[in-house]
Amino acid sequence: MTATSGRRERKKAQTRQALADAATKLFTEHGYDNVGVREVAEAADVSLSTLFKHFPNKESLVFDLDADIEADLVAAVRDRTAGQSVIHALRDYLMRTRTARSDDPATPALHRLVESTPALREYAHQMLLRHESALATAIAEATRAPAVDLAAAGLAHFALEAAKVAGSREDPASALGELFDLLENGWGR
C-alpha cells in the first residue's frame, strides 16, 4: 500500500509541476491574458478537469506552495534565534523570500509577468494576506500578548503590506529595509 500511495503522490506532484511549468512558459512567452487554461492543460498533456484538480483558478497556476508560505511565516517568528526580535525575524524572512535573486533564469521573467499583470499582482497580494491571522497569532504568542492583541495584528498586517510596497520598487531589498526601519522606529524621525 505504501508503494502505491507513494507512486500516486509522485505522479500527482509530477502532474502539478508539469502544469506549473507549462503555465509559466506560456504566460511568459505570450502574456498572461493571451493564454487560456485549456492551452495550459494541452501543453501539459492533461485534461482541463485534471488542471482544476491541482489549481483552483488561472492565477494559482503562477503561484505554488501557498501552505508552505504560512508555515514559513509562522516559523520565522517562532523559531527565530535567541535574542532576535520578532520584527527583525520578519524582516529577515521577507528579505530572503521576497527580494532574493534566484539562479533560475525563469525567475526574472516570472517577476516581470506578475508585476505587469494586475490580476496576478492582486492575487499575489491577497495570497500573502491570507496568512495575516496565523502570523498575528504567532506574534502574539512570541510576545506573550493576548491572542487578539492589536499590536500583533497590526505588525502582521504592516509587515505583509511592506512586502507588497517594497516589491514594486526598483530596489526591493532597500525599500523593505526602510519600511521595516519605519515599523521599528516610527514616523517621528
Side-chain angles (χ1 to χ4, degrees), residues 66-176:
D66 189 38
D68 290 348
I69 294 170
E70 183 168 300
D72 290 348
L73 276 165
V74 169
V77 171
R78 286 188 181 148
D79 303 338
R80 67 192 188 281
T81 58
Q84 184 182 36
S85 71
V86 167
I87 200 162
H88 287 178
L90 279 173
R91 180 201 60 209
D92 293 350
Y93 169 78
L94 291 170
M95 280 284 194
R96 275 193 318 277
T97 61
R98 300 290 169 205
T99 66
R101 301 292 178 224
S102 172
D103 293 336
D104 182 351
T107 301
L110 191 57
H111 283 293
R112 283 191 301 277
L113 174 70
V114 171
E115 285 306 311
S116 67
T117 309
L120 292 177
R121 266 196 329 266
E122 182 58 25
Y123 186 86
H125 179 61
Q126 291 306 316
M127 188 174 81
L128 193 57
L129 286 181
R130 281 198 304 266
H131 309 303
E132 186 177 320
S133 178
L135 180 58
T137 299
I139 293 169
E141 289 171 1
T143 58
R144 295 181 177 83
V148 294
D149 185 59
L150 179 62
L155 178 56
H157 181 78
F158 295 136
L160 296 176
E161 287 289 348
K164 177 187 179 190
V165 172
S168 66
R169 300 296 191 230
E170 190 172 315
D171 183 356
S174 291
L176 192 60

Side-chain angles (χ1 to χ4, degrees), residues 1 14-15 47 57 61 64 74 76 105 121 137 149 152 168 176 183:
M1 181 105 173
Q14 289 169 347
T15 300
S47 69
N57 53 44
L61 284 160
D64 204 3
V74 169
R121 266 196 329 266
T137 299
D149 185 59
S168 66
L176 192 60
L183 281 173

Side-chain angles (χ1 to χ4, degrees), residues 85 87-88 91 155 158 176-189:
S85 71
I87 200 162
H88 287 178
R91 180 201 60 209
L155 178 56
F158 295 136
L176 192 60
E178 286 181 43
L179 290 168
F180 267 85
D181 186 48
L182 181 64
L183 281 173
E184 185 173 23
N185 299 309
W187 186 264
R189 290 183 298 135

